[in-house]
């Protein structure tokens, strides 16, 4: 069975990371869409750096939860018949052991150099304008996909969805595109579709089936179900 999973901020909520909607939608009085854009970075790089530096610092204080670990277990059983697509820029999936993963909106623990194009593992701050580890120029930006920028891995995601038997959306409100359009694409490609979310998402009607509740309860239970149905 070929499975494609899409996750959003809801899967990391019980690890202690606020979701976009839960963070009262505001950060220092700004809507995330206002600070997560190239224009905002152009206008006020310090404000944007502080937004991501604070999230990078918070990431160091949290751990993957039972939902992240359950997905890593499922990947172990399905192997290459599995692909995890995440909108999250945290590394909790990777820390839980996920390997077949597309961080389509980038990674918080990575910097991108606007001078030489180098991507570097980054856990410290960027607001103080550190030099790029590769070219030495102080031209680093967070290695995340901002609104108006093209997400990563769209080809790989498109191919996996074309051949999927099952598409599962976990902890996402289904508001941001092109991620929010993947369930419809999977449905049109003939896959069965399932939503696992705390409450019905904006796109719930697209799904053949939906289960609502906390991810740390829904996801391990669903993974156990799938694994129990797999041939020995
Ligand atoms: C692009 C990285 C061109 C940075 C992010 C079509 C229609 C309308 C608009 C558009 C459109 N196409 C494009 C747009 C514009 C825009 C867009 O979608 N705007 C929205 C606001 C309308 N999209 C773009 O700009 C994209 N780029 O289109 O380029 C293009 C595209 C394709 C091909 C060629 C060219 C780029 C978008 C990426 C922006 N970067 N993140 C950062 O993180 O700071 S988006 C960011 O917001 C996240 O990554 C995520 O995608 C989104 C937040 O959504 P969720 O993760 O779902 O979080 P949310 O808080 O909303 O919901 C949480 C859910 O979890 C809730 O349902 C809640 O109930 C549930 N939950 C909570 N607790 C739990 C839980 N569930 C289970 N258990 C719990 N405990």
């Amino acid at each position: 069975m070929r499975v494609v999973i899409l996750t959003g901020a809801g899967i990391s909520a019980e690890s202690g990371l606020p979701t976009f909607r839960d963070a009262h939608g505001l950060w220092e009085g700004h809507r995330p869409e206002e600070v997560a854009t190239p224009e905002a970075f152009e206008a006020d790089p310090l404000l944007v750096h502080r937004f991501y530096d604070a999230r990078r610092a918070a990431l160091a204080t949290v751990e993957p939860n039972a939902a992240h670990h359950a997905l890593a277990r499922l990947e172990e059983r399905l192997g290459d018949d599995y692909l995890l697509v995440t909108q999250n820029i945290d590394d909790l999936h990777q820390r839980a052991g996920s390997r077949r993963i597309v961080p389509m909106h980038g990674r918080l623990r990575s910097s991108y150099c606007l001078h030489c194009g180098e991507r570097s593992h980054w856990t410290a701050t960027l607001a103080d304008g550190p030099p790029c580890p590769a070219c030495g120029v102080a031209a680093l930006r967070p290695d995340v996909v901002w609104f108006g920028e093209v997400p990563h891995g769209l080809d790989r995601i498109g191919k996996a969805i074309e051949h999927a038997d099952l598409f599962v959306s976990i902890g996402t409100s289904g508001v941001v595109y092109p991620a929010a359009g993947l369930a419809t694409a999977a449905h049109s490609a003939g896959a069965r579709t399932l939503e696992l979310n705390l409450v019905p998402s904006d796109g719930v009607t697209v799904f053949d089936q939906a289960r609502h509740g906390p991810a740390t309860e829904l996801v391990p239970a669903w993974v156990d179900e799938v694994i129990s149905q797999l041939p020995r």
Side-chain angles (χ1 to χ4, degrees):
M1 179 174 57
R2 287 171 297 221
V3 177
V4 175
I5 312 258
L6 173 70
T7 63
I11 199 168
S12 296
E14 294 162 87
S15 290
L17 295 180
T19 69
F20 281 67
R21 308 302 125 181
D22 296 0
H24 311 305
L26 291 180
W27 194 89
E28 287 208 1
H30 300 273
R31 285 181 315 107
E33 288 91 347
E34 281 164 7
V35 282
T37 63
E39 296 76 22
F41 187 63
E42 193 64 36
D44 189 344
L46 200 54
L47 173 77
V48 173
H49 276 314
R50 289 205 337 253
F51 177 53
Y52 289 99
D53 286 354
R55 291 169 69 184
R56 204 173 297 109
L59 184 52
T61 69
V62 301
E63 295 298 328
N65 61 49
H68 298 107
H69 288 294
L71 292 180
R73 243 177 339 106
L74 180 60
E75 178 184 349
E76 225 166 283
R77 286 302 306 274
L78 292 176
D80 290 338
D81 285 344
Y82 174 98
L83 184 68
L84 174 57
V85 179
T86 189
Q87 300 167 80
N88 301 341
I89 61 175
D90 66 50
D91 63 348
L92 297 181
H93 281 304
Q94 292 89 334
R95 278 197 252 161
S98 289
R99 294 290 167 270
R100 294 172 182 84
I101 182 168
V102 179
M104 73 183 293
H105 291 165
R107 295 173 297 148
L108 197 47
R109 287 184 159 177
S110 178
S111 65
Y112 177 76
C113 179
L114 291 163
H115 181 75
C116 73
E118 182 78 11
R119 287 188 155 85
S120 314
H121 182 66
W122 201 272
T123 55
T125 58
L126 286 173
D128 43 338
C132 166
C135 71
V137 176
L140 298 178
R141 62 161 271 184
D143 184 15
V144 300
V145 177
W146 284 327
F147 288 93
E149 297 183 324
V150 180
H152 303 311
L154 293 178
D155 292 350
R156 185 178 175 196
I157 296 167
K159 286 197 182 65
I161 283 187
E162 226 173 282
H163 301 99
D165 302 302
L166 177 61
F167 176 88
V168 184
S169 174
I170 303 172
T172 183
S173 59
V175 169
V176 172
Y177 286 78
L182 298 178
T184 304
H187 187 77
S188 320
R192 283 178 296 114
T193 56
L194 168 66
E195 170 175 281
L196 303 177
N197 211 52
L198 190 63
V199 297
S201 74
D202 289 33
V204 68
T205 52
V206 170
F207 294 90
D208 301 314
Q209 207 199 347
R211 302 179 188 176
H212 297 118
T216 57
E217 289 170 21
L218 292 183
V219 178
W222 172 72
V223 165
D224 292 345
E225 228 175 271
V226 171
I227 289 179
S228 68
Q229 288 152 11
L230 289 175
R232 293 255 161 263

